[in-house]
Amino acid sequence: EEQLLESGGGLVQPGGSLRLSCATSAFTVTNYAMTWVRQAPGKGLQWVSAISGGAGVTYYADSVKGRFTISRDISKSTVYLQMNSLRAEDTAIYYCAKRYYDDGGAFDIWGQGTLVTISS
Amino acid sequence: EVVMTQSPATLSVSPGERATLSCRASQSIKRNLAWYQQKPGQAPRLLIYDVSTRATGIPASFSGSGSGTEFTLTINSLQSEDFAVYYCQQYNNWPLTFGGGTKVEI
């Protein structure tokens, strides 16, 4: 069964950094695109970043471009989201999701999410 | 950016009735549209992709339709477990965008 498990969330001061991890199981990360989606408290879903399967091409929402970096370790079957220069508005549950195809498609598998809180 | 607009924001339905949820895209997204269900405290779950294809394990009471810029999710004979928030999402253009959600309540 394909599964995703996020970790790395926590409380960080504004301007700080955090690295989220998404451990995958039962599929090969180079065969599918992976993505991060966040949800601020009481709000809707916001796409954050994605990485394609084969070529590893990366994409970012404008709100995080230049501050967040998505990457992967194929040997560990893990996808990461490095978050720098964090702001209060980055506070959210961060979900990792698998896409249907190498570079596209809907998000068919989701992790349970990890909470990131930015506060002094 | 493709703006996804969902209506209504809240839909009050009785168990056993049909719910019809709408989603409008600000420009054509072809058939690159998905619907997700989210219950309190849970991650979203994929219901429908490519406008009308049900994801694995999704009952036939859920159906999707539309094309271009207008899309609909229909839930027939609502069960207690169907009361949740539903989001549409386009994956035709970067950045990927979600609608604001429709809460289906009793």
Side-chain angles (χ1 to χ4, degrees), chain A residues 54-110:
Chain A
V57 180
T58 59
Y59 306 86
Y60 299 94
D62 284 347
S63 58
V64 306
K65 198 173 296 182
R67 300 187 299 123
F68 289 13
T69 302
I70 190 171
S71 63
R72 64 188 180 182
D73 185 328
I74 297 170
S75 67
K76 294 182 178 180
S77 298
T78 299
V79 178
Y80 303 98
L81 186 67
Q82 177 66 45
M83 306 186 296
N84 299 329
S85 303
L86 285 162
R87 306 166 181 167
E89 54 264 36
D90 296 319
T91 294
I93 297 173
Y94 284 72
Y95 295 102
C96 172
K98 167 186 165 290
R99 300 190 71 180
Y100 254 114
Y101 307 116
D102 169 275
D103 193 18
F107 305 169
D108 62 336
I109 306 295
W110 294 67

Side-chain angles (χ1 to χ4, degrees), chain B residues 12-92:
Chain B
S12 298
V13 186
S14 297
E17 292 186 337
R18 172 185 297 176
T20 302
L21 288 64
S22 296
C23 175
R24 173 177 293 177
S26 60
Q27 65 189 71
S28 175
I29 56 171
K30 303 174 187 175
R31 294 185 60 81
N32 296 309
L33 180 107
W35 290 93
Y36 301 87
Q37 176 193 67
Q38 187 178 33
K39 298 178 181 180
Q42 296 185 17
R45 177 175 72 145
L46 177 66
L47 297 175
I48 301 281
Y49 63 96
D50 295 348
V51 175
S52 58
T53 303
R54 281 189 301 277
T56 303
I58 302 303
S61 58
F62 290 89
S63 63
S65 62
S67 65
T69 61
E70 300 283 346
F71 303 92
T72 300
L73 174 69
T74 301
I75 312 170
N76 287 307
S77 189
L78 271 152
Q79 306 296 305
S80 58
E81 61 267 27
D82 299 331
F83 292 94
V85 179
Y86 294 83
Y87 295 95
C88 62
Q89 179 222 8
Q90 68 82 19
Y91 44 92
N92 191 66

Side-chain angles (χ1 to χ4, degrees), chain B residues 94-106:
Chain B
W94 300 102
L96 309 182
T97 48
F98 290 89
T102 291
K103 181 180 181 180
V104 177
E105 64 176 23
I106 300 175

